[in-house]
Amino acid sequence: DTGPAAVAAVRGMENVKIFCMYPRGRVSPVQEKQLTTVHDDNVHIYCTGGTTDDQCTLSKSLFMDDTFVKRYGVCSMNSVNICRILAQTTYYVWAYLRSVERDQVGAQEIVVVVPTGAFGNCSAGLWVRCMGLPIQRIVAATNANDVVHRVIQHGDFRQVANVPTLSPAMDIQLAYNLERMLYYCANQNGPAVKAIMQQVEADPMAGARLDPLLQRRIREAFLSLPVSDAETLDTMAAVSRSHGYTLCPHSAVGYC
């Protein structure tokens, strides 16, 4: 989802080059055509083996090379880039104000459901909640790649196999924005979060178990649920029958 949007935004620009990777067999035919049919000179598309998580690991290693990043002016277009999350905070403010305008909410706090993969949009929701927007809970809906659900509900921060689903933009087991969530839920205790992340990165399959106090603080702001492909299809069919509208699989995960 990010790839085609980013390519469309900068194609043809003289002073911007974009390099976009997508995992072979893990995007829809439409998404693949949106990437591979753009022939502007500043657009460079790479189909790779592996998963989105493998690509994220590669990208992270690139951004750790400060000399390379500064020399070529490298930035990310996904939610690794904090600017994207800052922009997404406006979604929550706009949605709340529209709900008030339509008398759908009064003084009560709202609950927001977000289909999530890398947890960037949910991080934006946490920030505006910290700023004072009356959000009771953010419900993070995942597909079978449920690291976000396991962290929120069970304090289980470990990587398991990345499995293909009908919502491929959310097929992520290395949800890199969880680190940002941990930082704010741990009262901005950088050393504590660093210790957790070092444990996870040293052995992703073993991961880390969050302490009960941190788990409680996380659940003060978040709830979560995993959604299967079968439930996704059932939801798409039900919405089509009742409203005449075709949900994309990612939206259907949130609608469940």
Side-chain angles (χ1 to χ4, degrees), residues 157 182 191-201 208 210-211 214:
F157 194 173
L182 293 176
V193 175
K194 181 178 180 180
I196 294 170
M197 296 309 301
Q198 286 178 333
Q199 186 177 349
V200 172
E201 290 169 1
L210 306 185
D211 70 70
L214 181 53

Side-chain angles (χ1 to χ4, degrees), residues 5-255:
V7 166
V10 304
R11 62 180 300 181
M13 291 187 175
E14 294 182 3
N15 296 320
V16 178
K17 293 182 179 180
I18 186 166
F19 299 83
C20 181
M21 299 181 293
Y22 70 94
R24 183 179 294 108
R26 299 293 293 268
V27 300
S28 72
V30 171
Q31 286 174 312
E32 187 168 30
K33 286 182 172 60
Q34 287 175 325
L35 292 168
T36 57
T37 57
V38 178
H39 303 298
D40 297 76
D41 291 340
N42 68 322
V43 175
H44 308 273
I45 307 298
Y46 299 90
C47 177
T48 75
T51 68
T52 303
D53 292 327
D54 299 318
Q55 294 177 344
C56 177
T57 300
L58 177 63
S59 298
K60 185 174 182 178
S61 66
L62 184 151
F63 282 104
M64 292 177 69
D65 187 341
D66 288 339
T67 301
F68 181 87
V69 169
K70 291 176 181 177
R71 180 178 180 183
Y72 293 103
V74 180
C75 72
S76 172
M77 293 287 272
N78 64 8
S79 58
V80 168
N81 189 333
I82 198 170
C83 292
R84 172 160 165 170
I85 299 177
L86 288 171
Q88 289 174 324
T89 60
T90 62
Y91 303 170
Y92 292 83
V93 177
W94 183 87
Y96 175 74
L97 292 177
R98 288 287 285 170
S99 297
V100 171
E101 182 182 294
R102 296 177 178 183
D103 294 324
Q104 294 172 325
V105 298
Q108 75 269 28
E109 296 179 324
I110 62 172
V111 175
V112 185
V113 181
V114 183
T116 190
F119 205 67
N121 196 308
C122 289
S123 296
L126 176 61
W127 287 357
V128 292
R129 185 178 186 272
C130 292
M131 293 176 197
L133 195 71
I135 298 175
Q136 182 186 74
R137 291 287 195 285
I138 300 163
V139 182
T142 75
N143 59 26
N145 297 289
D146 64 348
V147 63
V148 168
H149 169 69
R150 288 184 285 106
V151 168
I152 291 173
Q153 294 301 119
H154 308 294
D156 175 13
F157 194 173
R158 59 188 170 89
Q159 181 184 358
V160 299
N162 187 310
V163 297
T165 73
L166 295 175
S167 45
M170 295 159 53
D171 287 350
I172 298 173
Q173 287 286 7
L174 292 176
Y176 35 85
N177 286 292
L178 284 173
E179 183 174 357
R180 288 173 168 143
M181 181 266 286
L182 293 176
Y183 178 71
Y184 286 96
C185 290
N187 291 329
Q188 303 180 45
N189 186 336
V193 175
K194 181 178 180 180
I196 294 170
M197 296 309 301
Q198 286 178 333
Q199 186 177 349
V200 172
E201 290 169 1
D203 188 347
M205 296 300 179
R209 173 69 63 174
L210 306 185
D211 70 70
L213 177 58
L214 181 53
Q215 290 184 54
R216 189 182 73 192
R217 287 175 175 165
I218 291 170
R219 288 195 292 269
E220 287 174 357
F222 292 98
L223 296 172
S224 67
L225 76 161
V227 176
S228 68
D229 276 355
E231 291 171 318
T232 299
L233 290 173
D234 287 345
T235 298
M236 293 172 69
V239 171
S240 179
R241 286 194 301 269
S242 60
H243 299 289
Y245 184 82
T246 302
L247 285 171
C248 88
H250 308 82
S251 298
V253 169
Y255 195 93

